[in-house]
Amino acid sequence: MSIRLESVRVRLGDTDVLNDVSLAFDARTVAVIGENGSGKSTFARLIGGLVARTSGELRVLGLDPRSQAAELRRRVALVFSNPDAQIVMPTVAEDVAFSLRADRLAPAECEERVSAALARFGLHALRERASHELSGGQKQLLALCGAFVRRPDLVIADEPTAYLDARNARVVADHLFRRTDHRLVLVTHDLALARRCDAAVLFVDGRAAAVGAPDAIIAQYDQTLRC
Ligand SMILES: Nc1ncnc2c1ncn2[C@@H]1O[C@H](COP(=O)(O)OP(=O)(O)OP(=O)(O)O)[C@@H](O)[C@H]1O
Ligand SMILES: [Mg+2]
C-alpha cells in the first residue's frame, strides 16, 4: 500500500482536526474531496510530513513520516494553491535548480535536468526572467516544474488549480495526470478533476467518511451537499 493510516488523530490547538482516520490505498491517483474545513489540507500536510500525527499509525510509500522524515522529503513533492509560497529564488532557472540542491548533482547534470524540466513546462523562454514578475499561472507552472524536476515518487497537490484560469488549470492538471512514474494525491473542489483520479476519499468533519471509485464517492458527496 502506498498510503496507509490506522486510527490516526491529529490534534491542533484544542481541536481534533483529523479523528480516527483509517485508510489504505494503492491507486496511482487519489482525489481528496470534502467541504471547507473537513480536514483535507491537514490530511495532505500529514502525509507530506508537514504535520505530525497525535496518535495512530501512518505509512507513506512504506515510510514513517516521524522517523524517516528525510527520506520522505526526498521522495515526495508538495504543491499548493499559492505558488508565491513555493518560489524562493530570483530567477526562473535558479528557482528550478534550487529544488535539486539536496541531490548534489554535478553542475552540467543539474543544468541538463533544469533545462529539460523548463522545456517540459513551457517555461524555457522565461528562464532568465525574475520569478516575481511571472503571472499567477506562470508561477504555478514554475512551482510544478520545481516539484517535478526532483522526480518525486509521490506528488501531493492541495488545490493546485484554485487560482488559475480555465486554460492554465487544464495545463496544470494535465501535468499532474501525465503518465509518468509518480503517484498523485490531489485535494480539490473541482469534481471534474476528482473524477479523473483512480480513487477518491471523502472527508467529513475530520473523518475519512468514504473511500472508493470517484464516481461513487462524488455521488455520496453530492448527497451530503443536498442535506
Ligand atoms: N493549526 C491549526 N490549529 C487549529 N485548528 C486548525 C489548524 N489548522 C486547521 N485547523 C482546523 O482544522 C479544520 C480542517 O482544516 P483544513 O485546512 O484541513 O480543512 P480543508 O478541508 O482543507 O478546508 P478547505 O476546503 O477550506 O481548504 C478547520 O476547522 C480548521 O479551522
Ligand atoms: Mg484546504
Side-chain angles (χ1 to χ4, degrees):
M1 287 292 163
S2 63
I3 295 174
R4 192 165 57 79
L5 287 80
E6 279 171 32
S7 307
V8 169
R9 188 164 63 92
V10 173
R11 191 170 181 81
L12 297 173
D14 56 5
T15 315
D16 282 340
V17 176
L18 294 181
N19 209 340
D20 197 21
V21 177
S22 295
L23 279 178
F25 37 65
D26 205 22
R28 196 179 72 82
T29 57
V30 178
V32 179
I33 62 174
E35 291 181 31
N36 292 138
S38 56
K40 303 179 303 297
S41 292
T42 307
F43 173 74
R45 294 165 64 81
L46 171 77
I47 61 173
L50 299 181
V51 164
R53 64 189 183 268
T54 306
S55 59
E57 272 306 311
L58 170 64
R59 292 289 179 278
V60 179
L61 304 174
L63 302 169
D64 180 346
R66 192 150 55 190
S67 58
Q68 295 168 294
E71 171 78 355
L72 188 73
R73 263 199 305 277
R74 202 177 59 72
R75 294 181 58 191
V76 173
L78 293 129
V79 181
F80 301 98
S81 305
N82 180 2
D84 284 322
Q86 302 164 75
I87 293 170
V88 288
M89 295 299 282
T91 72
V92 168
E94 285 169 335
D95 192 74
V96 178
F98 186 73
S99 294
L100 291 173
R101 69 199 180 284
D103 292 4
R104 299 178 193 283
L105 302 174
E109 190 185 351
C110 181
E111 170 51 31
E112 204 172 293
R113 288 264 290 272
V114 169
S115 288
L118 288 171
R120 180 174 159 195
F121 284 84
L123 294 168
H124 192 70
L126 301 174
R127 62 172 293 146
E128 302 308 329
R129 282 279 291 279
S131 316
H132 70 269
E133 285 176 6
L134 301 182
S135 76
Q138 290 167 336
K139 281 182 184 168
Q140 190 60 306
L141 283 172
L142 174 56
L144 219 56
C145 186
F148 277 97
V149 75
R150 296 170 41 221
R151 298 176 182 160
D153 293 327
L154 171 65
V155 175
I156 301 168
D158 189 353
E159 298 193 49
T161 58
Y163 300 145
L164 302 181
D165 66 26
R167 197 186 76 84
N168 273 323
R170 197 173 58 236
V171 170
V172 164
D174 286 346
H175 279 297
L176 290 170
F177 282 100
R178 187 186 290 212
R179 217 173 157 79
T180 56
D181 288 340
H182 72 274
R183 291 167 181 277
L184 173 69
V185 171
L186 174 64
V187 177
T188 186
H189 289 290
D190 179 343
L191 298 179
L193 209 54
R195 246 179 251 283
R196 287 176 66 175
C197 291
D198 302 324
V201 51
L202 170 63
F203 274 87
V204 178
D205 290 338
R207 294 173 188 269
V211 186
D215 281 348
I217 302 302
I218 289 166
Q220 187 170 338
Y221 182 37
D222 263 341
Q223 287 292 327
T224 66
L225 292 176
R226 280 173 223 278
C227 294

